[in-house]
Amino acid sequence: MKVSKTHMVTMRSPLGRVRGLGSAKSGTAHWWAQRLTAIALVPLAIWFVFAVLAHLGAPREAVAHWMGRPINAVLLLALSIALFHHLHLGLQVVIEDYIHTEAARLAVLLAMRAVVALLFLTALIAILRMAL
């Protein structure tokens, strides 16, 4: 038993007092999301690098025709979704680890989310304009 500052006796174990708190609350889902997006990015990035190398120096019309195929547009969209989601998850971890003031952490997290969302929307519009 432990006596706290207010002289209250607690019958809970240390594990019982911390259960439901800290990173164990949602850290597993975050960790899995990072790993799954990383795994998805490997084949998508390899496909993208080969596609870019194959169209290096090609005129815009040839690239637009290539992007106009549904499979290529879908793969580019999948690459963008996985890439920006992975970016968001990774930056969130860095911000939460290194910014200790709650107000500053919240402000930086919100700014980061806004920038990542803006970049994703820009990529989405560019892909759709080229594909359609």
Side-chain angles (χ1 to χ4, degrees):
M1 284 192 271
K2 184 175 181 177
V3 178
S4 66
K5 290 181 181 179
T6 59
H7 302 292
M8 291 183 63
V9 177
T10 60
M11 301 291 288
R12 297 178 72 185
S13 69
L15 177 62
R17 285 193 300 273
V18 298
R19 195 165 282 192
L21 301 173
S23 64
K25 188 173 183 182
S26 64
T28 305
H30 191 101
W31 185 87
W32 272 110
Q34 278 187 308
R35 290 343 176 247
L36 290 175
T37 55
I39 291 168
L41 282 171
V42 171
L44 289 169
I46 292 170
W47 166 81
F48 182 70
V49 167
F50 280 110
V52 167
L53 291 176
H55 291 91
L56 204 59
R60 184 185 187 283
E61 293 78 23
V63 176
H65 177 70
W66 173 79
M67 284 185 68
R69 293 189 209 152
I71 187 69
N72 294 329
V74 167
L75 288 173
L76 280 170
L77 289 173
L79 175 67
S80 296
I81 291 167
L83 179 72
F84 286 107
H85 189 57
H86 188 75
L87 173 69
H88 170 260
L89 294 171
L91 288 175
Q92 180 179 344
V93 169
V94 171
I95 291 167
E96 289 173 349
D97 284 348
Y98 292 103
I99 299 179
H100 302 292
T101 309
E102 189 66 31
R105 183 183 313 126
L106 180 62
V108 173
L109 279 170
L110 289 174
M112 178 271 299
R113 286 182 183 189
V115 169
V116 170
L118 185 64
L119 290 172
F120 171 70
L121 290 174
T122 303
L124 179 69
I125 290 170
I127 292 168
L128 291 176
R129 283 188 67 196
M130 292 287 287
L132 299 178

